[in-house]
Amino acid sequence: MKNIISLAILFLTLSCSKSNEEKKVVVNNNPLYGTWVLSKVLAGFAPGLDYTNEEVKWIINSETNILVQVVEGTLVPPFMPLNENGTYPYSINPGTILLEDVTYDYSVTIDTLIVSKDAASDGIIYIFEKIIN
């Protein structure tokens, strides 16, 4: 009888425990993580450029790199950072992001990313909308 009870306890213990892989929980505190599509570029007093068909995507799924996808034929301002297909390094500090060795201001909400350079003095503002977490 002791053997049966011991086997039953062993069976229940082994069948109910999860492997170490299943127990891992990834917590991501980087608010930039996700897929962002460019929706608008504002530059000083010039008319803004609107993007509506996911022509420019920034995919941020690491602490150090941004994957950029630009649909062929899309008019992207030459002064815009990360304006060609590729993988680019980035780093963030509170309120700033370093892209291509240039420091930009940024702010992020749940579904909007704003990257700007000298916005207070008619600089450039890039507005992105989040489409995937």
Side-chain angles (χ1 to χ4, degrees), residues 27-49:
V27 176
N28 183 353
N29 293 326
N30 186 341
L32 296 179
Y33 269 44
T35 299
W36 300 90
V37 294
L38 182 64
S39 63
K40 191 172 212 62
V41 176
L42 302 169
F45 294 109
L49 296 173

Side-chain angles (χ1 to χ4, degrees), residues 11-105:
F11 176 76
L12 288 173
T13 302
L14 292 176
S15 66
C16 293
S17 68
K18 294 185 177 182
S19 71
N20 286 339
E21 288 298 313
E22 292 172 324
K23 290 180 183 177
K24 287 184 181 176
V25 175
V26 176
V27 176
N28 183 353
N29 293 326
N30 186 341
L32 296 179
Y33 269 44
T35 299
W36 300 90
V37 294
L38 182 64
S39 63
K40 191 172 212 62
V41 176
L42 302 169
F45 294 109
L49 296 173
D50 292 316
Y51 296 86
T52 57
N53 296 316
E54 300 181 11
E55 295 101 337
V56 179
K57 288 183 187 176
W58 286 9
I59 302 167
I60 304 173
N61 57 12
S62 86
E63 293 290 327
T64 58
N65 292 308
I66 299 174
L67 173 63
V68 176
Q69 297 175 342
V70 180
V71 173
E72 188 175 335
T74 300
L75 176 62
V76 181
F79 50 80
M80 180 178 163
L82 317 184
N83 61 9
E84 295 180 0
N85 289 326
T87 301
Y88 299 88
Y90 81 98
S91 63
I92 57 172
N93 286 307
T96 63
I97 184 169
L98 182 66
L99 304 169
E100 298 182 316
D101 297 323
V102 178
T103 301
Y104 295 86
D105 296 318

